[in-house]
Amino acid sequence: MHIMEGFLPSPWWQAWFAVSIPVIMYGIYKMNRLVKEKREILPLLAVAGAFIFVLSSLKLPSVTGSCSHPTGTGVAAIIFGPAISAVLGIIVLLYQALFLAHGGLTTLGANVFSMGIVGPVVAYLVYKAGMKANINFYAVVFLATAFGDWATYVTTSVELALAYPAGGVLTFAGFMSSFGKFAVVFAVTQVPLAIMEGAVSALLFKYVVNVKSDILIEMKVIEASIVKKLRGISA
Amino acid sequence: MSRKLEIIVLAILLVFTVQFVYMSSTTDAEYGGADGEAENVINDITGGTYEPIAEPFWEPPSGEIESLLFGLQAAIGAGIIGYFLGYYRAKSRYEDDLGYKDKSKPDSDRQSQ
C-alpha cells in the first residue's frame, strides 16, 4: 500500500521528491547507458519491470485481517541495482496513481523513496552480503527480496510518522509513538506477504538462471561456478 | 529438472492459503486495504483535523472498474514475463541443442542445419 493522494502535508511531500528525483535521474542515466552497451539486456529489463507490475497488482490478505500487496522490486534490484529499480518502480507507481487512485501524484516522491529506493537498496545489500557468506543462491534471493519488501513498508511507516508525530510536534517520542502505530498497520501486515514475495522471486530467478544465465554472469550478478552448480542440481 | 524449489514455494503458498481460509471463516476481519487503516491512524493522531492537500483527479467509479484495472496490470506484467522467458528458453535451446550459434554477426550466412 502506498501513501494516499493528499495525505502528506507540506513540506514532507516536497522533501521526498527532493530526495527521490536525483536517484531517478541517475537511474535513467544508468539504464540508458546499460541498454546502449548491451542491447540483449532489454528483454530481461522488461521481465524485471513486468514482475513489479504483477506483484504490486496483487492485493493479498494478511494475518492481521487487512490486505496489502508485495512490491516485486527486489528482483530488479538484484539484477540491475537500486537506481534502475527506482525507474521501474516509478512506472508502476504512476500507473496506479493515475488509473487506480492508489498512491498519488503528491505522494509519488515518498512512495518512490520507499518502494523504488529503500526497498531495492536493502534487497541489494542483503543479496551482496548473502552471496559473500556463501549461502544457497535461492535462499539468498528469498532473504533479499523478502527484506526489501518489508523495508519498503517500514519506510512508509517512517514517512507517515515524520509527517504525523503524536502530539503534532516532531519530537523523538512523538515520532516513535506514531511510528509504532503505522508500523502495526503496515509492517506487521507485510510480514507474511514479504515471505510470499521472497518465495516467488526465488522461483523467477530459477527460471532466469535456467534459460539466460549468461546474462547474469555478464552483469556480475552471480559467478559462473555458482550457475554451474545450480544447473547441475536443477537442470 | 528438479522441482524442489517449486515444491517449497507451493508449500509456502498452501500454508498461507490455509491460514487465510481458516482466519476468514472464524473471525469477522474485514480484509480492507492497509492504506485505509493508515487513514484511520492519521485521523486518530491528528484528532480528525487533517484535510488531504490533494484529491486523486480520477478515481475508478466502482469496485468493478478498480478490479478490472488491477487485473489488467497483472495481465500486462504476466504476458511480458511469459513472452520473454519463452523467448530466452527457445533461444538457449536452439543454441545448445541444435548447435546453432549466431555469434557476433547475425547477418552472416550461417544457417541452422
Side-chain angles (χ1 to χ4, degrees):
Chain A
M1 291 293 154
H2 316 303
I3 300 178
M4 293 154 298
E5 183 73 292
F7 272 87
L8 272 187
S10 304
W12 292 106
W13 67 269
Q14 294 95 327
W16 294 118
F17 266 107
V19 177
S20 299
I21 286 172
V23 180
I24 294 289
M25 303 288 271
Y26 177 64
I28 291 174
Y29 162 76
K30 258 189 91 172
M31 199 155 110
N32 278 337
R33 216 184 49 184
L34 185 71
V35 171
K36 232 178 241 156
E37 274 171 17
K38 303 188 175 108
R39 279 269 347 137
E40 77 273 16
I41 208 80
L42 213 51
L44 196 61
L45 196 62
V47 167
F51 190 68
I52 303 176
F53 242 67
V54 176
L55 259 69
S56 62
S57 76
L58 302 174
K59 293 193 186 181
L60 300 167
S62 175
V63 281
T64 51
S66 59
C67 290
S68 189
H69 59 78
T71 63
T73 49
V75 171
I78 290 172
I79 304 178
F80 299 106
I84 292 180
S85 310
V87 180
L88 297 174
I90 202 173
I91 298 171
V92 179
L93 286 166
L94 269 175
Y95 176 96
Q96 294 191 329
L98 290 174
F99 300 127
L100 288 155
H102 185 64
L105 295 178
T106 57
T107 53
L108 189 64
N111 290 330
V112 167
F113 183 72
S114 61
M115 180 174 142
I117 299 174
V118 175
V121 165
V122 168
Y124 185 77
L125 293 178
V126 171
Y127 177 76
K128 288 289 173 206
M131 290 314 275
K132 220 170 226 170
N134 244 334
I135 311 169
N136 173 286
F137 173 68
Y138 296 122
V140 176
V141 171
F142 170 84
L143 289 174
T145 49
F147 274 108
D149 174 293
W150 197 61
T152 296
Y153 286 85
V154 172
T155 308
T156 302
S157 306
V158 169
E159 289 169 344
L160 284 169
L162 282 172
Y164 300 101
V169 193
L170 186 57
T171 59
F172 183 69
F175 166 78
M176 284 314 284
S177 153
S178 291
F179 174 71
K181 286 180 193 162
F182 287 115
V184 166
V185 172
F186 285 118
V188 178
T189 301
Q190 202 61 25
V191 170
L193 305 193
I195 293 171
M196 300 266 274
E197 166 155 4
V200 176
S201 300
L203 204 54
L204 179 69
F205 256 99
K206 179 183 168 177
Y207 300 137
V208 174
V209 166
N210 272 335
V211 299
K212 198 63 191 166
S213 52
D214 52 335
I215 234 169
L216 294 179
I217 296 166
E218 216 186 302
M219 297 276 301
K220 296 195 173 64
V221 177
I222 34 178
E223 282 164 31
S225 60
I226 298 174
V227 169
K228 243 183 209 153
K229 220 173 86 190
L230 289 173
R231 294 184 82 162
I233 296 166
S234 63
Chain B
M1 185 188 277
S2 155
R3 292 282 174 214
K4 206 168 122 199
L5 191 63
E6 278 86 350
I7 293 167
I8 296 171
V9 172
L10 263 179
I12 293 174
L13 291 180
L14 200 67
V15 168
F16 187 83
T17 313
V18 168
Q19 170 273 130
F20 169 64
V21 170
Y22 176 77
M23 287 283 287
S24 61
S25 58
T26 53
T27 66
D28 54 356
E30 282 174 16
Y31 289 101
D35 48 0
E37 280 183 32
E39 196 174 341
N40 294 340
V41 174
I42 291 171
N43 277 332
D44 219 39
I45 292 171
T46 60
T49 54
Y50 184 72
E51 293 288 326
I53 57 160
E55 292 285 328
F57 64 88
W58 186 80
E59 266 183 87
S62 74
E64 271 64 33
I65 305 295
E66 191 180 347
S67 44
L68 162 74
L69 289 167
F70 269 112
L72 195 63
Q73 187 189 331
I76 292 170
I80 293 173
I81 293 174
Y83 179 85
F84 283 118
L85 286 187
Y87 166 79
Y88 277 147
R89 188 182 161 80
K91 200 166 172 237
S92 70
R93 242 206 168 151
Y94 274 102
E95 287 172 357
D96 294 353
D97 298 355
L98 304 178
Y100 174 79
K101 285 271 178 228
D102 121 297
K103 295 240 164 79
S104 54
K105 275 195 219 147
D107 55 342
S108 70
D109 56 356
R110 192 187 293 267
Q111 307 250 313
S112 57
Q113 280 148 13

